[in-house]
Amino acid sequence: MAVLTQRRRGSLVALSLALALLTPTAWAQGDGPKPFETKAPQAYLMEAKTGTVLFSKQPETLIAPAALAKLMTMEVVFDALKTSRVKLDDIYTVSENAWRKGGAPSRGSTMFAALKSKITLNDLIQGAIVQSANDACIIIAEGMAGSEEKFAELMNQRARAIGLKQSVFKNATGLPAEGQVVSLSELAFLGRHIWQTYPEFYRIFAQPEFTWNKITQRNRNPLLSYGIGADGLGTGYTEASGYAILGSAEQNGRRLFAAMSGMTSEAERAQEARKLLDYGLNGFEDAHLFDAGAIIGTARVYGGMKQEVPLKALDPVEVFVPLTDKDLVKVHLVYDGPLRAPIASDQPIGSLQVWIGDNLAKSFQLAAAEDVALGSLSSRAADAAHELAFGWLR
């Protein structure tokens, strides 16, 4: 059974509170999978409903996004559609730049848009998503912002607006550019954001094929054909970062987002991504630990009428836990203390962290459950003396 521990000033103090709310089935020693291993140098697996991180391996390493940068391009487009700044039937013209850089002459991923032809935004979106077409992305960028450089500015503005702090985009295609980087954790966050915010457009990621200019091309996502409930999102490759993928799958109401990078071949990318999704879909169970408002523990108070303040969960504490290897799960109450009085009820104080092995699976904000008034002069003096004598022990 996982034991709740309390951390203050970097040390851990065991509490007498255990997580008895975890159901026996959540910890059953059955035929579940062994601890997961992958050949991928970087990997990240997140459950969509709770945001629980089920697996993490170098997820903050910055890599070149390659074609996965197109996901940020699509986010900018979807946001513009949602706010009625553009329409699906808007028509954009294929410039010579878009044709040479991303069309047939480029010998890269393309929807084979003819020079100076006119294409609706609706068709360009399908070309960019299903065919991973570079020309489609450049045409969109020029049509919406006047140039790809100005569109990249929009990409970075939107990235910061939705919470991507590290990723930097230099173009709409993901073609090699100095300083263009992403992390796997932010890619998974971006995929989840697109799924949550734009369900009417997210379905395009599962579209099996798209025909343009009398040329039919299949969706490049290998996970779609595996019958595991996969319905997105995209793949990428650069010589520097290897083969990468951001995939999503849903089974029995459980949706996962899996990001991987650094594979050595298309086959290895497909195999490792499927293994990671299978692990998440079959090896975990939902565990409801505490209701919103439940008292989680207490925090030491300095200079108050009371020496401790109870801490409550602001939201329901719900995570996914492994069916086996229960000892991998640790729960810590973390705050910077002792806290100084006065303290107001509902004042944010620390967090409840759920760890699976070395991975922080989920963090929940905690708040004071009651007021703690400033103590008398004598009580504050006693606390000060105690702090001088024993504070160094923490």
Side-chain angles (χ1 to χ4, degrees):
M1 184 174 293
V3 175
L4 182 65
T5 60
Q6 183 181 46
R7 182 188 311 235
R8 61 175 188 257
R9 290 189 177 171
S11 63
L12 287 174
V13 182
L15 303 178
S16 60
L17 176 62
L19 300 183
L21 293 176
L22 288 173
T23 62
T25 56
W27 301 118
Q29 296 293 333
D31 298 325
K34 300 297 182 182
F36 185 77
E37 295 181 358
T38 178
K39 298 177 183 177
Q42 298 94 31
Y44 190 78
L45 182 65
M46 178 176 63
E47 189 275 326
K49 178 185 175 184
T50 64
T52 304
V53 179
L54 306 183
F55 183 81
S56 180
K57 181 180 180 182
Q58 301 295 322
E60 306 306 326
T61 299
L62 295 178
I63 60 170
L68 290 173
K70 294 180 173 78
L71 297 175
M72 195 66 234
T73 297
M74 290 298 100
E75 201 287 332
V76 173
V77 175
F78 296 159
D79 177 65
L81 286 165
K82 188 173 182 178
T83 55
S84 301
R85 287 179 284 123
V86 297
K87 303 185 297 295
L88 286 173
D89 58 2
D90 285 350
I91 296 176
Y92 297 146
T93 302
V94 182
S95 70
E96 183 170 351
N97 175 64
W99 178 71
R100 289 192 181 280
K101 194 174 178 181
S106 71
R107 299 184 180 275
S109 302
T110 177
M111 65 183 291
F112 297 98
L115 177 62
K116 297 183 180 179
S117 62
K118 298 183 182 299
I119 309 177
T120 65
L121 179 57
N122 182 58
D123 286 335
L124 290 169
I125 290 171
Q126 293 180 79
I129 292 177
V130 180
Q131 301 172 343
S132 192
N134 292 326
D135 50 357
C137 293
I138 299 172
I139 296 164
I140 289 172
E142 292 177 343
M144 286 184 59
S147 70
E148 196 173 1
E149 291 75 19
K150 290 188 178 298
F151 186 83
E153 294 178 9
L154 296 179
M155 294 172 70
N156 289 309
Q157 289 172 14
R158 282 297 300 164
R160 300 300 174 264
I162 66 175
L164 306 188
K165 298 179 180 179
Q166 292 183 294
S167 299
V168 177
F169 300 95
K170 297 292 186 176
N171 55 50
T173 61
L175 290 172
E178 185 177 355
Q180 182 160 250
V181 293
V182 298
S183 67
L184 291 191
S185 62
E186 293 196 347
L187 275 178
F189 180 91
L190 175 59
R192 184 189 185 204
H193 165 79
I194 292 173
W195 167 71
Q196 289 178 323
T197 311
Y198 314 109
E200 68 274 31
F201 300 120
Y202 180 81
R203 58 180 177 78
I204 302 174
F205 290 98
Q207 189 172 312
E209 62 184 31
F210 179 60
T211 300
W212 178 256
N213 204 15
K214 298 182 180 180
I215 300 173
T216 299
Q217 297 185 67
R218 299 284 299 174
N219 194 309
R220 295 169 181 266
N221 186 346
L223 298 173
L224 300 181
S225 62
Y226 285 162
I228 59 173
D231 57 7
L233 291 160
T235 60
Y237 169 77
T238 65
E239 191 172 330
S241 298
Y243 291 85
I245 189 169
L246 174 61
S248 183
E250 182 176 11
Q251 287 184 17
N252 302 318
R254 179 183 302 176
R255 174 172 291 278
L256 305 179
F257 287 88
M260 307 184 89
S261 179
M263 271 77 71
T264 59
S265 67
E266 291 183 356
E268 184 176 81
R269 173 175 63 190
Q271 293 165 3
E272 292 300 303
R274 177 171 184 172
K275 281 171 50 182
L276 183 60
L277 285 169
D278 282 341
Y279 167 70
L281 291 168
N282 300 312
F284 289 80
E285 184 170 345
D286 190 6
H288 181 84
L289 305 185
F290 299 99
D291 294 328
I295 302 301
I296 305 297
T298 60
R300 177 81 168 83
V301 177
Y302 171 84
M305 293 293 292
K306 301 175 183 177
Q307 292 188 331
E308 292 184 333
V309 60
L311 302 182
K312 65 181 179 181
L314 293 178
D315 301 301
V317 177
E318 187 173 339
V319 296
F320 273 73
V321 295
L323 289 167
T324 59
D325 301 307
K326 65 181 181 179
D327 292 337
L328 290 177
V329 179
K330 305 294 181 184
V331 184
H332 301 312
L333 190 160
V334 180
Y335 70 96
D336 186 15
L339 307 170
R340 290 185 176 275
I343 295 172
S345 179
D346 294 326
Q347 177 180 324
I349 297 176
S351 63
L352 184 72
Q353 296 182 353
V354 182
W355 291 75
I356 300 177
D358 294 330
N359 301 322
L360 176 60
K362 184 73 174 174
S363 181
F364 301 87
Q365 188 174 38
L366 303 178
E370 59 187 39
D371 297 329
V372 177
L374 191 65
S376 64
L377 183 61
S378 59
S379 67
R380 279 181 280 162
D383 279 351
H386 185 277
E387 202 52 23
L388 285 172
F390 301 107
W392 62 274
L393 292 173
R394 295 193 183 92

